[in-house]
Amino acid sequence: MKKKNFKGRCVKRKLNKCDEICRTYNPIQYAYADVLETDSSIQSYRCNVVLEGLELGEYTSDFACVKKDGEPMIRECVYRRQISKSMTVKLLDASLKYWQSRGVTDWGLIVDAK
């Protein structure tokens, strides 16, 4: 998750399953976009999806995917060193609640290997 108007380094790529230009802001997002491209169970996905009306402010979810069976899937990318920080926990919890309130049951984290 990141602020809606995040001002960091961005890598833009055109990928087949991404519904728009795929904008990644860290190595975890970049690598996971490649994973989604090769995953046969994923039909399409969007990057940096705005969480409309979130109480904490304007934030985005990293990946909103649609599986081949039509089920939505949400993935948030986070560095292992940040996963226990209070603000990270608060944002991830807000994302989980946001998507659950919209009927999404497949919500998960993508964490770096280190």
Side-chain angles (χ1 to χ4, degrees):
M1 281 185 76
K2 67 188 64 41
K3 282 236 181 240
K4 179 181 172 189
N5 295 317
F6 180 74
K7 302 289 186 215
R9 186 170 194 274
C10 177
V11 176
K12 298 175 187 175
R13 300 186 290 167
K14 177 65 181 143
L15 299 173
N16 292 330
K17 291 183 182 180
C18 189
D19 294 338
E20 55 208 21
I21 297 295
C22 183
R23 291 174 171 84
T24 55
Y25 294 93
N26 61 47
I28 301 171
Q29 271 189 317
Y30 188 94
Y32 194 64
D34 290 337
V35 169
L36 291 173
E37 282 294 313
T38 60
D39 188 338
S40 62
S41 68
I42 301 298
Q43 178 179 324
S44 65
Y45 63 93
R46 294 182 299 144
C47 300
N48 308 304
V49 179
V50 177
L51 304 178
E52 301 282 340
L54 193 67
E55 292 177 14
L56 294 172
E58 293 185 319
Y59 285 89
T60 62
S61 280
D62 294 317
F63 292 98
C65 311
V66 177
K67 296 180 188 178
K68 293 270 186 189
D69 62 6
E71 286 293 313
M73 178 181 91
I74 304 299
R75 292 296 182 261
E76 301 289 1
C77 299
V78 63
Y79 285 103
R80 186 173 302 278
R81 67 179 183 267
Q82 294 178 333
I83 204 162
S84 62
K85 293 186 177 187
S86 62
M87 188 58 177
T88 302
V89 171
K90 186 184 287 188
L91 289 172
L92 291 173
D93 187 49
S95 170
L96 175 60
K97 288 178 182 175
Y98 176 89
W99 290 109
Q100 283 178 337
S101 72
R102 284 155 177 76
V104 176
T105 56
D106 190 353
W107 182 95
L109 297 177
I110 306 302
V111 182
D112 62 330
K114 293 181 182 179

